[in-house]
Amino acid sequence: MKIDEHIIANDVLREISELLPTPFLKEHLVNQTTKGLAKYGTTVNVDDYDVFGWIDHNIQELIDSTVYYKATIKKIEKQYGFEGVHARIIRILEKEIRENIKKLESLELFRNHYLEESK
């Protein structure tokens, strides 16, 4: 089966592919799906985790994303400093970090509420 066929056959991947607005982003979905198939032999499966597992996985990925934003900021500062367009890019990345932190807090809150409700 071709990678595009895997994406079409998987409800989650198909719906995400339809949401992605540019060919560049769709290509990244293809690349990530290809890596997942190579590593795990399958595409994402809703039944792989329970709700807590998916929330925790999302938290891990958001923390990684936050670290990558900060590393990008450090790289820009090191290579280009804080002038002009670089300062604006740094401010945008710092905003993304703050938004990730808010998402992480929301996921933790949701996880805690879900934990209480499932008792």
Side-chain angles (χ1 to χ4, degrees):
M1 186 181 298
K2 294 180 183 179
I3 194 68
D4 291 341
E5 293 170 328
H6 280 282
I7 291 172
I8 291 168
N10 183 298
D11 290 347
V12 172
L13 297 176
R14 184 180 62 252
E15 289 176 24
I16 295 301
S17 179
E18 291 168 358
L19 291 172
L20 295 174
T22 67
F24 175 80
L25 295 175
K26 288 178 189 276
E27 186 61 28
H28 276 277
L29 177 64
V30 167
N31 292 341
Q32 287 300 104
T33 302
T34 301
K35 286 183 353 188
L37 279 167
K39 187 172 183 177
Y40 303 108
T42 187
T43 58
V44 67
N45 182 342
V46 173
D47 295 326
D48 284 348
Y49 301 103
D50 62 9
V51 171
F52 294 108
W54 284 115
I55 292 169
D56 289 345
H57 193 69
N58 198 358
I59 288 170
Q60 293 164 14
E61 294 293 331
L62 276 169
I63 288 174
D64 285 347
S65 173
T66 305
V67 169
Y68 301 154
Y69 282 135
K70 182 54 90 171
T72 304
I73 289 169
K74 295 290 187 187
K75 188 68 166 186
I76 291 169
E77 291 171 349
K78 184 176 179 181
Q79 283 188 316
Y80 306 106
F82 304 94
E83 301 300 319
V85 68
H86 305 296
R88 288 192 297 275
I89 292 168
I90 289 170
R91 284 194 303 274
I92 291 167
L93 293 172
E94 287 171 341
K95 180 180 180 234
E96 293 298 324
I97 289 171
R98 289 189 302 274
E99 289 178 9
N100 272 7
I101 299 299
K102 287 180 187 176
K103 290 175 189 176
L104 286 162
E105 291 172 335
S106 293
L107 281 168
E108 181 182 13
L109 186 63
F110 175 73
R111 187 184 193 287
N112 291 340
H113 285 296
Y114 193 81
L115 182 62
E116 288 298 316
E117 291 294 321
S118 64
K119 286 184 179 180

